Amino acid sequence: LFVVIEMIMNYLLGAFKPACNISITFSDGKNRKQVPMKKENGQTDLVPLFQSQETLSGKVCIEPYQGKKVEHNGVKVELLGQIEICCPVSELLMAFVFSTEMYFDRGNFYDFTSLVRELDVRNYAPPPPINNSIKMEVGIEDCLHIEFEYNKSKYHLKDVILGKIYFLLVRIKMKNMDLEIRRRESTGAGANTHVETETLAKFELMDGTPVRGESIPVRLFLAPYDLTPTHRNINNKFSVKYYLNLVLVDEEDRRYFKQQEITLYRLKEDTSS
Amino acid sequence: MIADGAGEDEEKWLAAGAAAFKQNAFYMQRAIDSNNLKDALKYSAQMLSELRTSKLSPHKYYDLYMRAFDELRKLEIFFMEETRRGCSVIELYELVQHAGNILPRLYLLCTAGSVYIKTKEAPAKEILKDLVEMCRGIQHPLRGLFLRSYLAQISRDKLPDIGSEYEGDADTVTDAVEFVLLNFTEMNKLWVRMQHQGPARDKEKREKERSELRDLVGKNLHVLSQLEGVDLDMYRDTVLPRVLEQIVNCRDEIAQYYLMDCIIQVFPDEYHLQTLDVLLGACPQLQPSVDIMTVLSRLMERLSSYAALNTEVLPYFLQVEAFSKLNNAIGKVIEAQEDMPILSAVTLYSSLLKFTLHVHPDRLDYADQVLGSCIKQLSGKGKIHDTRATKELVTLLSAPLEKYNDVVIALKLTNYPLVLDYLDSENKRVMATVIIRSIMKNKTIIATAEKVEALLELIKGLINDLDEPQGLEVDEDDFEEEQNSVARLIHMLYSDDPEEMVKIISVLKNHFLTGGPKRLKFTIPPLVVSALKLIRRLPEEGDNPFGKEASVSATKIFQFLNQIIEALPSAPSPDLAFRLYLQCAEAANKCDEEPIAYEFFTQAYILYEEEISDSKAQVTALQLIIGTLQRMHVFGVENRDTLTHKAMGYSAKLLKKPDQCRAVYTCSHLFWLEDHETIQDGERVLRCLKRALKIANSAQQMTSAARGSTGSVTLFIEILNKYLYFYEKGIPQVTVESVESMIQLIKNEESLTSDPSAESFFASTLRFMEFQKQKGGVVGDRYEQIKV
């Protein structure tokens, strides 16, 4: 998810050329951490990074072009969040002032533009107090019976998924076994709900057919993948969920899979990194 | 056709794989050259992806693997340099694990792990443990085997062994062992699994492919044996039980056979000796089809040579009761493998016998025990017909002979003849030949009747026909060879004690008489000779204080001789018995046994009359009779007269005149025996000579009548020589005149000059006379009187 802070002038609305040049500088602009952000046109831009609960302070500079004058009834600074959703829902623009909280993060299909200035806002979370492992037995009768275990149910974005797959019964010839990370994003509500799923990682865990009793280790580093934290039902408008999908492929290319949701969160990074 | 097509395809796939491999290796190298870690990882992973193929046979896959191995060495050096340049090895270890495909990922992980261990930033054991665990991800047998073999390769010099630079604080050798054992176990599982993949019709091909890969698995055992920290305790308590557990549990014939052999070959003999129980205990648990016999044979071979080379370890062999353990183990293995071929069982016992002969040469009871166990296996199976098994049985039976070089020892083995009994007649003969050869080679004298009896039991294949149908007609030459060897053997059966010797001879007689006519002609003569030798050794009759009461008397032996010669068949060679009779007669003569000597002569005469009909043979036989009779002094006048008279009669009845003539003049000797005044009858000597002359005359007339030419004068010259002989002896009846007239007679023969050989014969006779004359003395005087 992605947040925009936008300054809206009263002169706006595109039929006219702007009569002035508006620039914003943040008071700690030189020291603030900047992160790259992909724009619609594919180029990346560096944008300053803010956390929620932070205070924005700085200067807005309005310079009229030569020979032009700007009339105004005062300057109002608004912080605007934008969730941009492509088809099929027509553009949805939400603007609101963040007074105390900014909890939107950057997503993929709700790319975000700013007329004036873009900021990246990230929410950091402490490690969850309860973090159980995921353990489950699944199978197809008389054919395949496995038990898998992932060490946690909540992972931070640079975490590593550890676990093992234990084969209790194997009657099919397998080609390989992959662990996939899938992201499921949903927007809208009710009948207008739009869901999109994407496989972000396809990580081969096993090559060949194991025999009964074999246990295959899982070790998947999340860092190399472009992941974001899980969001559930933000403003009743959208959700981002992550799943681990264990896929077994047999020699006839049939796929057997089991999907398990995991929660991703962003751990407070060291200041050094 | 199909196979060829597959082969071609495989070549193509290998070529394609190798090309893609090369290309990525090139890019990887370029990335390395420009210190670009990210790209180096990317291209190396792509390069290693070629190893993911399922299309190549193990042989071709190995080709690709070796290329990968070389390239990974370069990458490893690069990793090492990177860590020196400040890249954290821990990060590197994580970084390589980002690869999406498991096989490249694990090759890279092993490579990075190798660097990790070298930097010593973490204990070697931890990293090794992680690596060997992670490798579980490859369940494809071929790819897994090669990956793990790569792991074994890179870890070899990095095991935390005792004395290694990677050794940790406490007992890390256990970790090293654990690591190798785990990798070994997993590799073996993969290797065994290969057997069960793919269609059944490719079984043979698969087994061939598997055997190509076996050294990858066995290498682990080799690594274990090289570990400094694997001492006897470690071996006995950890290594061996774990390895055996895997071997037994994998239930795979090929693996079990190969790995058992591997254990035996790679670990020290001393360890085997101390862990025999455990090692042998595993044998009966192996699959029935496993060629356990070879495995155990090799073990015993190794232990035997170990004992042979290090005599100081022999007490350990006793201490651990190596023999009885092996014996038991073999029994159990055979019991467990119900349909074990007889060959295997025999081979096992053969090895065990060799083992015990080497290790416990003093324990003959052990050897006998082995033979006993062997019998137990053979019993109820009848004669063995498997040629390889019989061959092995011959080897088994030859082993004690080779070891002790003394057949007497073998004779002490009570089970020996029982085992021998399981051979078919042909192989019994082979075995008998082996035994005889051993005796001859070692000049073993067998000195008691009991042992002779036992020995004959062993070689009975040569002594008689064994009451069973002959499988193949025995080659005549072979038969002769064999029987000759039996004949030679008889001279090795010898005792200084005449009483014992008699027993030996009678044992021999009893056995030989069952041999049938074909054998007797070979066996009887040496037996007769042996008996005659004995007679010669007997004390003079007078010297024997017990006189004829002594158990050994010449008379008895002569009776015995008579019996055995009688057994000789008259056809096809009556002359053999004939000669033996004469020989015996002569021996009886020496013993002053007149009736016996007369009996022998009678037998000889009967044979002459009834069996010897060929005129040439008659001539020879008659010469023998005359020669023998001439020397006989035992006969009284009457007997002698009878015999001489007969001989004279035979002479006169010869077919050809010259033969008659010669026989008759030879008979003259019968009447003149020097030093025996009773046998000096000049009258009859002269009569013989005259008669010979008469026959010679008629012979010449016959030739001139039949052929129109005068016959040879040779006969006359021969008769002259006889005259000279008796003249020289001083027989009064042979006068100077008779000699002179004889010479004159020859000189008058006109044919003399036409016959050069006769002429020179005559000349040399004259020269002899001249020579005798020159000698002077009594003889010279007598010749002086002859006027030529």
Side-chain angles (χ1 to χ4, degrees):
Chain A
L1 184 59
F2 180 7
V3 169
V4 173
I5 300 175
E6 200 172 338
M7 322 260 166
I8 299 177
M9 310 295 164
N10 62 345
Y11 74 91
L12 280 180
L13 296 172
F16 308 97
K17 287 212 164 168
C20 60
N21 185 25
I22 305 164
S23 63
I24 306 163
T25 48
F26 295 107
S27 51
D28 53 354
K30 282 181 184 154
N31 304 324
R32 181 158 291 278
K33 190 178 174 183
Q34 298 210 322
V35 290
M37 190 173 75
K38 242 189 202 141
K39 291 170 72 165
E40 261 177 349
N41 57 12
Q43 288 175 344
T44 45
D45 225 355
L46 283 175
V47 295
L49 179 70
F50 287 89
Q51 294 183 43
S52 63
Q53 316 275 329
E54 258 191 305
T55 310
L56 293 173
S57 67
K59 259 197 299 198
V60 178
C61 184
I62 303 164
E63 285 173 282
Y65 290 121
Q66 219 162 18
K68 300 250 174 145
K69 66 175 185 178
V70 180
E71 283 180 28
H72 63 89
N73 303 323
V75 179
K76 184 171 150 199
V77 180
E78 266 185 294
L79 192 56
L80 225 123
Q82 185 189 354
I83 300 173
E84 192 180 316
I85 296 171
C86 315
C87 52
V89 184
S90 59
E91 196 169 277
L92 170 89
L93 199 68
M94 297 190 319
F96 44 91
V97 176
F98 296 85
S99 51
T100 53
E101 261 188 42
M102 294 187 285
Y103 49 79
F104 283 15
D105 219 314
R106 186 164 36 144
N108 207 11
F109 72 89
Y110 37 90
D111 251 357
F112 161 75
T113 55
S114 165
L115 293 174
V116 179
R117 185 78 213 201
E118 292 174 347
L119 294 179
D120 192 354
V121 178
R122 289 183 177 174
N123 288 311
Y124 293 107
I130 300 167
N131 198 346
N132 294 325
S133 64
I134 301 172
K135 207 170 171 178
M136 188 172 271
E137 237 183 272
V138 289
I140 308 159
E141 205 175 339
D142 292 333
C143 178
L144 180 70
H145 209 159
I146 64 172
E147 188 183 286
F148 61 82
E149 184 177 352
Y150 308 126
N151 60 336
K152 301 181 207 170
S153 48
K154 293 165 185 156
Y155 294 93
H156 63 78
L157 300 182
K158 298 278 162 60
D159 216 343
V160 51
I161 299 174
L162 300 175
K164 62 173 180 236
I165 320 290
Y166 186 67
F167 285 82
L168 300 163
L169 177 75
V170 188
R171 290 247 175 93
I172 48 170
K173 295 233 182 287
M174 262 171 264
K175 229 155 61 177
N176 57 351
M177 174 170 71
D178 294 337
L179 190 61
E180 294 176 347
I181 302 175
R182 292 161 71 83
R183 175 161 60 202
R184 189 168 172 276
E185 294 165 312
S186 61
T187 51
N192 290 330
T193 310
H194 174 70
V195 177
E196 194 151 319
T197 308
E198 186 189 9
T199 302
L200 296 169
K202 191 169 170 224
F203 188 74
E204 196 180 13
L205 285 182
M206 185 185 76
D207 173 20
T209 311
V211 290
R212 200 169 65 111
E214 207 64 69
S215 130
I216 307 298
V218 179
R219 182 186 293 160
L220 171 55
F221 290 95
L222 297 178
Y225 306 103
D226 204 13
L227 306 174
T228 59
T230 299
H231 292 294
R232 291 182 214 281
N233 209 18
I234 299 304
N235 274 13
N236 270 330
K237 288 283 189 268
F238 71 94
S239 298
V240 184
K241 286 183 178 177
Y242 284 92
Y243 296 88
L244 283 181
N245 192 26
L246 185 69
V247 186
L248 287 125
V249 184
D250 73 8
E251 283 192 332
E252 270 91 50
D253 280 328
R254 279 187 295 255
R255 288 159 63 88
Y256 309 82
F257 58 89
K258 180 68 187 175
Q259 197 158 290
Q260 280 299 117
E261 191 186 349
I262 53 167
T263 307
L264 294 184
Y265 64 94
R266 177 174 278 126
L267 193 65
K268 174 97 176 88
E269 287 174 69
D270 288 344
T271 38
S272 56
S273 63
Chain B
M1 286 299 283
I2 294 167
D4 286 350
E8 269 171 39
D9 282 351
E10 217 192 318
E11 287 293 345
K12 249 188 279 168
W13 287 321
L14 176 62
F21 187 92
K22 244 179 171 166
Q23 192 182 8
N24 283 306
F26 169 76
Y27 287 128
M28 180 190 88
Q29 189 58 53
R30 214 162 62 171
I32 289 174
D33 291 343
S34 52
N35 290 339
N36 187 337
L37 178 60
K38 204 175 139 229
D39 279 0
L41 289 178
K42 176 178 149 195
Y43 289 115
S44 58
Q46 283 180 17
M47 169 185 88
L48 292 165
S49 286
E50 295 305 325
L51 287 173
R52 299 174 71 208
T53 178
S54 298
K55 291 174 175 167
L56 299 180
S57 68
H59 194 71
K60 298 275 191 293
Y61 192 85
Y62 178 74
D63 189 314
L64 215 51
Y65 167 80
M66 283 318 291
R67 288 166 198 252
F69 189 84
D70 293 342
E71 293 300 327
L72 287 171
R73 294 283 63 72
K74 296 178 195 162
L75 191 66
E76 189 180 341
I77 293 164
F78 172 63
F79 282 171
M80 205 65 216
E81 282 166 358
E82 281 293 293
T83 61
R84 290 204 192 98
R85 279 193 287 266
C87 170
S88 147
V89 72
I90 301 160
E91 264 173 41
L92 182 72
Y93 194 66
E94 180 188 324
L95 214 51
V96 294
Q97 295 185 65
H98 292 176
N101 283 321
I102 185 158
L103 193 68
R105 180 166 77 233
L106 291 176
Y107 272 103
L108 291 174
L109 187 68
C110 291
T111 312
S114 168
V115 175
Y116 201 169
I117 297 173
K118 273 194 207 155
T119 63
K120 297 183 185 161
E121 286 195 30
K125 62 166 188 173
E126 304 275 338
I127 300 160
L128 290 174
K129 198 173 164 196
D130 190 52
L131 292 176
V132 77
E133 275 300 318
M134 291 311 284
C135 284
R136 283 182 194 278
I138 306 299
Q139 293 290 328
H140 184 275
L142 184 62
R143 296 194 281 272
L145 270 176
F146 275 99
L147 171 70
R148 284 183 180 275
S149 139
Y150 178 68
L151 174 59
Q153 193 81 28
I154 57 119
S155 63
R156 255 195 103 157
D157 55 346
K158 302 182 186 68
L159 299 172
D161 186 18
I162 288 172
S164 148
E165 58 172 312
Y166 303 103
E167 186 184 2
D169 333 322
D171 203 24
T172 50
V173 66
T174 317
D175 301 300
V177 168
E178 205 55 40
F179 165 77
V180 182
L181 279 174
L182 193 56
N183 205 34
F184 159 74
T185 308
E186 292 302 322
M187 281 179 87
N188 188 46
K189 285 204 269 192
L190 291 169
W191 187 45
V192 169
R193 214 184 289 169
M194 277 186 89
Q195 190 68 28
H196 309 291
Q197 289 185 344
R201 63 171 186 278
D202 292 345
K203 184 161 175 275
E204 212 166 293
K205 181 178 157 224
R206 214 158 38 229
E207 285 179 353
K208 187 176 154 277
E209 289 180 351
R210 278 192 65 204
S211 63
E212 286 171 7
L213 293 169
R214 63 185 197 175
D215 287 343
L216 296 183
V217 185
K219 193 92 178 184
N220 288 298
L221 297 181
H222 190 245
V223 171
L224 281 172
S225 74
Q226 301 286 302
L227 284 179
E228 201 60 42
V230 176
D231 52 11
L232 179 58
D233 288 337
M234 173 75 86
Y235 177 74
R236 182 181 49 215
D237 300 339
T238 313
V239 175
L240 185 63
R242 289 274 300 276
V243 172
L244 285 179
E245 184 192 5
Q246 173 58 27
I247 293 176
V248 169
N249 289 346
C250 77
R251 305 167 70 83
D252 177 80
E253 177 190 341
I254 297 175
Q256 289 183 335
Y257 171 69
Y258 170 70
L259 292 174
M260 285 302 280
D261 197 38
C262 240
I263 293 182
I264 291 164
Q265 301 305 330
V266 303
F267 291 106
D269 301 312
E270 182 200 343
Y271 289 10
H272 295 321
L273 192 58
Q274 298 294 337
T275 56
L276 263 183
D277 289 337
V278 188
L279 190 59
L280 295 174
C283 294
Q285 299 176 59
L286 302 181
Q287 298 302 100
S289 48
V290 172
D291 178 13
I292 194 73
M293 114 201 152
T294 312
V295 173
L296 282 177
S297 304
R298 294 218 184 136
L299 174 64
M300 289 184 276
E301 259 163 48
R302 269 202 72 151
L303 289 179
S304 312
S305 53
Y306 175 54
L309 293 174
N310 311 277
T311 40
E312 73 277 5
V313 301
L314 281 173
Y316 291 111
F317 277 84
L318 286 170
Q319 192 191 322
V320 303
E321 297 176 312
F323 169 77
S324 59
K325 278 175 188 166
L326 284 167
N327 195 12
N328 282 343
I330 290 171
K332 281 191 187 134
V333 163
I334 293 175
E335 215 171 278
Q337 303 199 354
E338 269 182 16
D339 44 1
M340 180 188 249
I342 202 81
L343 168 67
S344 306
V346 173
T347 311
L348 276 178
Y349 283 115
S350 176
S351 307
L352 181 61
L353 188 62
K354 275 182 207 146
F355 168 82
T356 181
L357 290 174
H358 271 101
V359 180
H360 307 294
D362 49 332
R363 296 297 298 265
L364 211 56
D365 56 324
Y366 282 176
D368 209 22
Q369 226 173 304
V370 177
L371 294 171
S373 310
C374 192
I375 290 166
K376 234 169 44 191
Q377 287 316 311
L378 296 172
S379 63
K381 296 198 169 118
K383 298 265 187 266
I384 307 167
H385 295 294
D386 174 0
T387 45
R388 282 171 63 209
T390 45
K391 220 170 163 186
E392 196 56 49
L393 205 55
V394 170
T395 313
L396 180 140
L397 290 168
S398 307
L401 301 177
E402 279 161 21
K403 172 68 191 172
Y404 295 113
N405 282 329
D406 185 356
V407 79
V408 176
I409 304 247
L411 296 177
K412 286 187 191 146
L413 299 167
T414 51
N415 285 318
Y416 197 90
L418 301 176
V419 174
L420 200 116
D421 225 22
Y422 285 95
L423 288 174
D424 58 22
S425 55
E426 191 188 330
N427 282 290
K428 270 188 189 142
R429 288 209 323 275
V430 171
M431 198 55 230
T433 317
V434 170
I435 292 171
I436 292 174
R437 211 177 293 141
S438 159
I439 294 173
M440 300 314 291
K441 201 182 101 198
N442 301 300
K443 304 207 168 26
T444 318
I445 301 292
I446 293 149
T448 70
E450 202 185 328
K451 281 179 191 159
V452 170
E453 180 83 57
L455 175 67
L456 290 176
E457 186 62 29
L458 297 188
I459 60 164
K460 65 182 174 194
L462 296 182
I463 305 295
N464 55 38
D465 283 336
L466 300 170
D467 314 320
E468 58 186 70
Q470 292 279 351
L472 285 163
E473 202 53 46
V474 184
D475 183 76
E476 206 53 52
D477 288 346
D478 288 351
F479 180 79
E480 223 166 274
E481 181 79 16
E482 286 165 7
Q483 294 306 317
N484 278 330
S485 71
V486 175
R488 280 196 290 274
L489 173 69
I490 292 167
H491 300 296
M492 306 307 289
L493 315 176
Y494 173 83
S495 170
D496 280 331
D497 174 15
E499 218 169 299
E500 193 62 40
M501 192 63 204
V502 169
K503 281 191 202 153
I504 291 176
I505 290 174
S506 73
V507 166
L508 288 172
K509 181 195 95 178
N510 291 342
H511 281 269
F512 287 156
L513 290 185
T514 61
K518 273 174 80 188
R519 289 185 180 81
L520 286 174
K521 68 174 178 180
F522 291 97
T523 51
I524 293 299
L527 186 57
V528 169
V529 170
S530 188
L532 290 176
K533 267 192 203 161
L534 173 62
I535 291 170
R536 232 169 284 153
R537 280 197 286 129
L538 285 178
E540 293 278 320
E541 210 70 52
D543 298 349
N544 192 339
F546 301 105
K548 296 220 168 188
E549 272 74 53
S551 55
V552 184
S553 70
T555 326
K556 268 195 177 161
I557 301 172
F558 280 123
Q559 286 165 1
F560 162 87
L561 282 169
N562 208 354
Q563 282 168 22
I564 53 173
I565 301 173
E566 248 171 28
L568 266 182
S570 39
S573 48
D575 62 310
L576 189 56
F578 171 77
R579 281 160 196 261
L580 290 174
Y581 279 131
L582 288 180
Q583 217 144 42
C584 290
E586 205 180 337
N589 176 51
K590 282 203 180 101
C591 297
D592 279 331
E593 296 277 4
E594 190 186 350
I596 294 172
Y598 189 80
E599 171 62 20
F600 280 126
F601 252 97
T602 315
Q603 295 293 344
Y605 277 18
I606 291 170
L607 275 182
Y608 178 84
E609 285 172 12
E610 291 177 357
E611 306 291 347
I612 302 175
S613 50
D614 177 66
S615 55
K616 253 189 201 155
Q618 278 179 343
V619 171
T620 323
L622 199 52
Q623 275 165 1
L624 283 169
I625 290 176
I626 297 167
T628 313
L629 190 56
Q630 197 262 347
R631 280 193 299 277
M632 304 295 272
H633 52 75
V634 72
F635 294 128
V637 181
E638 199 176 316
N639 279 342
R640 191 175 172 86
D641 265 359
T642 316
L643 292 172
T644 2
H645 186 74
K646 267 280 176 196
M648 293 278 288
Y650 295 154
S651 306
K653 278 185 206 133
L654 285 174
L655 181 64
K656 290 196 262 178
K657 288 284 176 188
D659 288 341
Q660 270 181 30
C661 169
R662 285 185 179 112
V664 169
Y665 72 62
T666 314
C667 281
S668 64
H669 288 287
L670 293 173
F671 304 106
W672 191 272
L673 200 54
E674 257 181 292
D675 308 329
H676 284 83
E677 286 183 14
T678 48
I679 318 170
Q680 290 186 348
D681 188 342
E683 197 60 48
R684 288 175 80 174
V685 169
L686 191 62
R687 224 186 288 161
C688 275
L689 294 179
K690 280 186 174 161
R691 206 160 146 201
L693 192 58
K694 223 165 100 191
I695 298 168
N697 266 324
S698 74
Q700 204 165 26
Q701 277 159 23
M702 268 174 71
T703 25
S704 58
R707 308 214 176 137
S709 68
T710 50
S712 167
V713 292
T714 316
L715 283 173
F716 294 112
I717 305 170
E718 286 170 15
I719 294 166
L720 169 62
N721 272 286
K722 289 290 162 199
Y723 267 97
L724 283 174
Y725 172 81
F726 289 110
Y727 175 71
E728 193 181 308
K729 298 282 174 208
I731 298 176
Q733 283 80 2
V734 181
T735 57
V736 182
E737 291 74 32
S738 60
V739 175
E740 281 172 350
S741 70
M742 198 61 214
I743 295 171
Q744 202 51 49
L745 176 76
I746 294 163
K747 280 183 174 166
N748 291 345
E749 280 295 324
E750 46 195 72
S751 61
L752 181 62
T753 44
S754 65
D755 186 346
S757 71
E759 196 180 5
S760 68
F761 183 22
F762 184 56
S764 58
T765 307
L766 292 177
R767 258 202 315 281
F768 168 74
M769 289 166 65
E770 193 57 33
F771 177 76
Q772 292 294 77
K773 209 191 300 186
Q774 303 298 325
K775 258 196 343 201
V778 187
V779 176
D781 285 351
R782 283 190 75 84
Y783 279 93
E784 197 67 53
Q785 300 168 29
I786 303 170
K787 303 276 174 297
V788 182

